[in-house]
Amino acid sequence: MADGSDTTLTAEQTTGEQAPHGLVAGLKAFAAGHGGAKAVIEYVGKRGARIVLVGSDGEWGDQFADDTVTAREACAKAGVTVENAWERELMDQMRPSNDLWRSMARRTMSR
């Protein structure tokens, strides 16, 4: 019998050009335009991973990657610090725009 289990799923991580250049460029541009940035990576199922960026000036935005590994590699290449979770300090730093507040006010909760 071979060592290990043949039922265990493993993700093969290849080194090299896994993070798309456009994603890295977008992260760099956001960080440069907002005095630096921090990111939180959220797994969103089959769609991949959402990279939520919070700039030092309080502005925020997001990018999508194919998976969390690609998202982390893109952030590392762009020089963006990845937070492990939504900490209070990071959330307090976010400043939603007036347009976002207006769009949220128009939404109604359905039962």
Side-chain angles (χ1 to χ4, degrees):
M1 178 176 248
D3 290 339
S5 172
D6 61 343
T7 60
T8 303
L9 296 176
T10 57
E12 292 183 26
Q13 296 180 10
T14 58
T15 59
E17 200 63 34
Q18 193 172 21
H21 179 69
L23 177 60
V24 175
L27 297 174
K28 283 182 180 179
F30 182 89
H34 298 283
K38 291 184 179 179
V40 175
I41 298 173
E42 300 173 338
Y43 174 73
V44 290
K46 290 182 181 180
R47 183 150 187 217
R50 179 181 184 202
I51 305 168
V52 181
L53 298 159
V54 180
S56 296
D57 60 357
E59 292 292 320
W60 61 281
D62 61 358
Q63 298 274 335
F64 279 89
D66 292 337
D67 54 37
T68 56
V69 173
T70 303
R72 288 190 179 279
E73 286 183 10
C75 288
K77 288 181 180 181
V80 174
T81 303
V82 177
E83 298 289 328
N84 289 329
W86 285 104
E87 298 293 332
R88 182 183 179 113
E89 293 81 18
L90 186 61
M91 291 181 70
D92 286 344
Q93 186 177 344
M94 293 177 74
R95 300 286 177 243
S97 68
N98 289 334
D99 292 335
L100 179 62
W101 285 116
R102 278 192 290 277
S103 73
M104 288 190 296
R106 285 191 296 262
R107 295 181 187 159
T108 59
M109 301 296 281
S110 62
R111 294 180 192 231

